[in-house]
């Protein structure tokens, strides 16, 4: 299945949800570190807008804790990365819940990674037919789980994700060897904790095997019992 066919399938699911919902639709794109989540979210958002479906990508990276919190279990701690990286409650309140109020809105970010400062940004109003697309490694954790209207899981092997992650991050993480070590000891070790605790493949509405970007495979497409909170 090519990319366009995959996006058509997702679009049909969105249109089906919109028939029964008058508030913004919240889509999660999940997968282990290095799977290709951000690129998929960007392309899906672009595709939806090209089809006259108003879509906005909301990055979970704008909801980090500061370094004092993120690194309190150690700079290289996988457990710390899994438990302390993101302000899950803030994202739920300022995006997932606020987008479902009488006057839907969302906040772009609560933290700036570059300056490590917390932000106090004004909420942005949303049209009720907007689709919010978010990608992240831990989006099916309990705090988020029931708020998504459509949960998409990207499946690849750790080996493939490692290669992609190294290629993407080698310049920012000090070269190939240091990047590989960071993935092995922090990012992918953390991903394994997430998989063991949450079993995201069971939770997902759609599972896409994107081991080959040019030959995507839909391996699950189940109508979910969505909870519209």
């Amino acid at each position: 299945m090519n990319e366009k066919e995959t996006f058509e399938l997702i679009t049909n699911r969105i249109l089906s949800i919109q028939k029964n919902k008058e508030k913004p639709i919240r889509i999660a794109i999940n997968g282990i570190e290095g799977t290709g989540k951000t690129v998929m979210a960007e392309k899906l958002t672009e595709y939806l807008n090209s089809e006259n479906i108003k879509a906005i990508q909301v990055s979970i990276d704008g909801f980090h804790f500061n370094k004092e919190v993120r690194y309190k279990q150690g700079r290289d701690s996988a457990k710390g990365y899994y438990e302390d990286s993101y302000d899950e409650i803030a994202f739920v309140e300022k995006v997932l819940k606020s987008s479902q109020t009488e006057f839907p809105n969302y906040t772009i970010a609560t933290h700036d990674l570059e300056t490590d400062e917390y932000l106090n940004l004004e909420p942005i109003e949303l049209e009720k037919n907007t689709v919010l697309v978010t990608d992240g490694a831990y989006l099916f954790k309990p705090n988020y789980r029931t708020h998504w209207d459509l949960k998409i899981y990207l499946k690849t092997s750790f080996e493939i994700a490692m290669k992609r992650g190294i290629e993407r991050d080698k310049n920012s993480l000090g070269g190939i060897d240091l990047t590989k070590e960071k993935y092995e000891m922090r990012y992918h070790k953390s991903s394994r904790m997430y998989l063991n605790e949450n079993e995201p493949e069971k939770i997902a509405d759609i599972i896409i095997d994107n081991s080959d970007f040019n030959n995507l495979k839909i391996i699950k497409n189940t109508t979910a019992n969505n909870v519209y909170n």
Side-chain angles (χ1 to χ4, degrees), residues 139-148 151 197-198 203:
L139 297 183
F140 297 174
K141 288 175 73 173
N143 280 335
Y144 307 114
R145 192 177 299 167
T146 60
H147 299 288
W148 301 113
K151 299 182 290 295
E197 289 188 13
N198 297 279
I203 295 169

Side-chain angles (χ1 to χ4, degrees), residues 4 25 27 66 122 159 169 178 193:
K4 185 176 185 295
I25 292 173
I27 298 177
N66 65 11
E122 290 295 319
E159 180 183 8
D169 298 330
L178 287 176
M193 294 178 187

Side-chain angles (χ1 to χ4, degrees), residues 204-219:
D205 304 313
I206 297 173
I207 299 177
I208 303 170
D209 183 335
N210 70 328
S211 301
D212 180 353
F213 288 137
N214 296 314
N215 184 24
L216 303 176
K217 298 177 181 177
I218 305 296
I219 56 179

Side-chain angles (χ1 to χ4, degrees), residues 120-209:
N120 186 25
L121 303 178
E122 290 295 319
I124 298 172
E125 293 183 8
L126 287 169
E127 296 178 24
K128 291 185 177 181
N129 62 348
T130 303
V131 177
L132 299 177
V133 181
T134 299
D135 61 281
Y138 309 129
L139 297 183
F140 297 174
K141 288 175 73 173
N143 280 335
Y144 307 114
R145 192 177 299 167
T146 60
H147 299 288
W148 301 113
D149 301 304
L150 185 61
K151 299 182 290 295
I152 300 171
Y153 186 76
L154 302 185
K155 182 175 182 177
T156 63
S157 67
F158 277 96
E159 180 183 8
I160 290 173
M162 174 79 76
K163 290 179 181 178
R164 291 176 180 172
I166 290 173
E167 183 61 30
R168 181 190 65 189
D169 298 330
K170 62 185 178 183
N171 293 330
S172 61
L173 294 178
I176 292 174
D177 291 341
L178 287 176
T179 304
K180 182 179 180 182
E181 180 180 355
K182 182 72 72 174
Y183 268 82
E184 289 175 341
M185 301 308 297
R186 183 167 165 84
Y187 302 144
H188 278 178
K189 193 172 181 180
S190 176
S191 289
R192 287 186 168 89
M193 294 178 187
Y194 171 72
L195 296 181
N196 288 335
E197 289 188 13
N198 297 279
E199 298 184 290
E201 290 188 48
K202 291 185 179 179
I203 295 169
D205 304 313
I206 297 173
I207 299 177
I208 303 170
D209 183 335

Side-chain angles (χ1 to χ4, degrees), residues 45-86:
T45 302
E46 182 179 348
Y47 176 83
L48 292 172
N49 281 303
S50 74
E51 294 294 307
N52 296 315
I53 298 173
K54 185 174 179 57
I56 298 172
Q57 186 177 0
V58 185
S59 175
I60 194 74
D61 285 341
F63 292 82
H64 276 91
F65 282 118
N66 65 11
K67 290 179 180 178
E68 182 180 357
V69 176
R70 295 204 308 276
Y71 301 151
K72 66 183 180 182
Q73 297 191 59
R75 180 63 180 84
D76 296 319
S77 169
K79 190 169 184 286
Y81 186 69
Y82 177 52
E83 295 179 344
D84 304 324
S85 288
Y86 297 99

